[in-house]
Amino acid sequence: MKLLAGKTALITGASKGIGRKIAEEFAKQGANVAFTYLSSVEKGEALEQELQAFGTQVKGYRSDASKFAEAEQLITSIVADFGALDVVVNNAGITKDGLLMRMSEENWDDVINVNLKSVFNVTKAASKIMMKARKGVFINMSSVVGVQGNAGQANYAASKAGIIGFSKSVAKELGSRNIRSNVVAPGFIRTEMTDVLDPKVVEGWTQDIPLKRAGEAEDVANVCVFLASDMSAYVTGQVLSVCGGML
Ligand SMILES: NC(=O)c1ccc[n+]([C@@H]2O[C@H](COP(=O)([O-])OP(=O)(O)OC[C@H]3O[C@@H](n4cnc5c(N)ncnc54)[C@H](OP(=O)(O)O)[C@@H]3O)[C@@H](O)[C@H]2O)c1
């Protein structure tokens, strides 16, 4: 049984890492997949080709989620191309780490705009479609750092904590329209975002994780499949940590 058969999903930031894996697992589970990328144009185009193998409708869009007008245009294009939009995974994200004393205003604004404002932009535009259809699912990518904070990541942690408050509010506002809104909070997942970290720091973290390993993008994607599917029909306003017990 394919868990997402007949559903159309948008995944933002799917050229690589977690988003890419979510797009792949969703297509495998029978979903029609719209996805976005920004700078990794070749990777985005390659993903569109690769996902054709699963036999559902697939299209990649170059779209900056942090820009309100681009997000609106994106949703209009998806509805024109696919005829529906049932699931949105707000996954696009960046880091610009630094201790507070050295953090520039630009690095604060960039991280808040890409990680948090993007979720507002895409959710606002998509919710109009879902309200008319009287069904829909939002899955918003936070982080364990948004729950517990992290030295050197005040901007990132604030953006990820903001996503939790936003998602819980949307769950309350739109629940009566059969629209669910949940948060996934990954711990330490191996992707290009974390490949830049010092191996010694990573080793130290891994020792503190009860499951004694870093997570894989697939670990997060599997949870997103559950939250996107009707298997989680009575789950909304929740934060699901995918962190090997770290939190
Ligand atoms: N990896 C972890 O350990 C971890 C832990 C907790 C939470 N997360 C969260 O999980 C999500 C995915 O992380 P990842 O590790 O897979 O990161 P990643 O490998 O760096 O991928 C980030 C993705 O976001 C896209 N993106 C960045 N800015 C964008 C924008 N303005 N508009 C549209 N797309 C944009 C990138 O596209 P381009 O390359 O095309 O620009 C890329 O596809 C992020 O929200 C991250 O904060 C990750």
Side-chain angles (χ1 to χ4, degrees):
M1 185 188 63
K2 291 192 171 172
L3 288 171
L4 304 180
K7 294 187 193 293
T8 297
L10 161 65
I11 299 115
T12 66
S15 56
K16 53 194 180 187
I18 294 170
R20 186 187 173 89
K21 200 70 193 167
I22 296 170
E24 200 180 302
E25 293 302 320
F26 275 27
K28 252 188 223 171
Q29 289 296 337
N32 297 316
V33 173
F35 68 89
T36 69
Y37 50 89
L38 186 57
S39 56
S40 309
V41 178
E42 275 180 26
K43 285 182 181 170
E45 289 171 354
L47 180 65
E48 190 177 291
Q49 288 297 314
E50 195 186 306
L51 296 183
Q52 307 289 344
F54 299 107
T56 61
Q57 192 182 342
V58 174
K59 188 164 177 178
Y61 302 81
R62 188 169 188 209
S63 178
D64 186 342
S66 70
K67 302 277 192 316
F68 187 77
E70 282 194 36
E72 278 195 317
Q73 182 53 52
L74 170 71
I75 300 301
T76 303
S77 302
I78 291 170
V79 173
D81 294 339
F82 289 79
L85 181 57
D86 306 296
V87 179
V88 171
V89 185
N90 280 305
N91 169 77
I94 57 168
T95 51
K96 292 201 173 178
D97 297 349
L99 294 170
L100 179 62
M101 287 305 142
R102 289 195 215 119
M103 188 175 288
S104 66
E105 183 184 1
E106 192 188 1
N107 284 357
W108 171 269
D109 287 345
D110 285 351
V111 169
I112 297 294
N113 285 335
V114 174
N115 294 8
L116 180 58
K117 187 173 180 234
S118 65
V119 180
F120 164 74
N121 295 342
V122 176
T123 304
K124 186 168 162 72
S127 62
K128 287 181 197 150
I129 308 303
M130 293 181 182
M131 281 167 78
K132 274 193 204 141
R134 297 193 84 84
K135 63 175 176 150
V137 174
F138 290 105
I139 301 168
N140 298 328
M141 205 57 71
S142 178
S143 165
V144 294
V145 161
V147 179
Q148 63 186 12
N150 194 23
Q153 289 197 307
N155 50 358
Y156 183 79
S159 72
K160 295 300 185 182
I163 286 174
I164 295 174
F166 176 83
S167 307
K168 285 176 177 273
S169 304
V170 168
K172 290 186 173 175
E173 282 186 31
L174 303 184
S176 63
R177 304 291 183 108
N178 193 29
I179 297 169
R180 301 188 288 114
S181 166
N182 289 296
V183 176
V184 173
F188 174 59
I189 310 295
R190 287 196 316 129
T191 67
E192 281 183 35
M193 187 181 269
T194 49
D195 278 352
V196 294
L197 297 167
D198 181 341
K200 280 188 195 139
V201 174
V202 171
E203 176 58 28
W205 282 351
T206 309
Q207 284 316 310
D208 289 339
I209 297 171
L211 289 182
K212 300 290 173 214
R213 67 168 177 91
E216 301 295 333
E218 192 178 358
D219 295 315
V220 181
N222 287 337
V223 170
C224 291
V225 168
F226 166 69
L227 288 174
S229 78
D230 297 340
M231 299 280 283
S232 59
Y234 202 52
V235 181
T236 194
Q238 304 304 306
V239 181
L240 225 162
S241 300
V242 185
C243 63
M246 198 189 220
L247 200 63

